[in-house]
Amino acid sequence: MYLAAAAPGLIRSLTLVEPPAFGISDSPEVVATRDQLKQLWADHSIDRFDFWSRFCELIGEPPWPRRPLPPQLDDGVRALMHSRGPWEARPDWTTLRSAQFPKLVISGGHHAGFEEIADTIARRTVAERCTLPGRRHMVPQVGNPFNGLAEDFWQRADSALSNKG
């Protein structure tokens, strides 16, 4: 969203999947998760395995079942622990709403906070909105329903762009 708002003239379309923008809504579902995520990020005594387990619980995903984390996952968790918190999102709604490119927001239908975030983004940016249940936060893993939806959206975006040209 940040890059699209920074250079809207360079964007052909924007697809957001389960966007973790916990700073854009004050609904009870979002606030509850946001507060818990802030507590998690603030706990500097927690190790990566416990951080990941708690993070997965908060976003509705199953954690890695046993210690240790696999090396690639461990590297990703280390980066996540030191990244900006998902409550810091403050996109430029005015630019995104007025941008001429098509927008699509997809969620997995598994977490009230993510549903509210997706609804808020769709409403504020005039985006298409879709829910694809079955794989929780890992929406692309539903396979053909996701692939078909994304391909159809991108084809319509290309067609709209061609008709303007």
Side-chain angles (χ1 to χ4, degrees):
M1 285 190 295
Y2 285 106
L3 294 174
L10 299 177
I11 305 299
R12 296 172 67 115
S13 67
L14 177 64
T15 302
L16 301 168
V17 181
E18 284 274 305
F22 283 90
I24 67 168
S25 171
D26 287 327
S27 76
E29 303 84 4
V30 173
V31 169
T33 303
R34 178 172 63 222
D35 289 348
Q36 293 172 320
L37 287 167
K38 284 182 176 182
Q39 290 173 3
L40 178 61
W41 254 256
D43 184 355
H44 299 291
S45 67
I46 195 169
D47 69 18
R48 289 186 299 280
F49 183 87
D50 290 336
F51 180 95
W52 183 247
S53 294
R54 181 73 179 121
F55 179 76
C56 287
E57 177 185 323
L58 291 173
I59 67 165
E61 276 298 307
W64 187 256
R66 65 194 166 284
R67 291 178 186 270
L69 294 172
Q72 287 182 316
L73 180 55
D74 189 58
D75 289 345
V77 172
R78 181 188 331 253
L80 179 63
M81 291 174 75
H82 299 287
S83 68
R84 291 175 44 180
W87 58 88
E88 295 182 33
R90 297 289 187 272
D92 179 348
W93 296 118
T94 303
T95 300
L96 289 170
R97 184 177 185 86
S98 64
Q100 296 301 303
F101 54 82
K103 302 150 200 96
L104 172 64
V105 186
I106 307 170
S107 63
H110 68 102
H111 187 287
F114 279 107
E115 295 306 305
E116 173 61 26
I117 290 165
D119 290 343
T120 298
I121 292 170
R123 189 172 51 253
R124 290 185 180 177
T125 64
V126 191
E128 292 181 38
R129 175 73 172 87
C130 185
T131 303
L132 292 175
R135 294 297 297 190
R136 297 168 311 279
H137 188 63
M138 307 306 287
V139 176
Q141 291 181 358
V142 299
N144 287 336
F146 176 82
N147 295 341
L149 176 71
E151 185 173 339
D152 175 67
F153 176 71
W154 294 331
Q155 286 177 351
R156 287 186 288 117
D158 280 347
S159 177
L161 189 63
S162 295
N163 290 337
K164 286 182 183 181

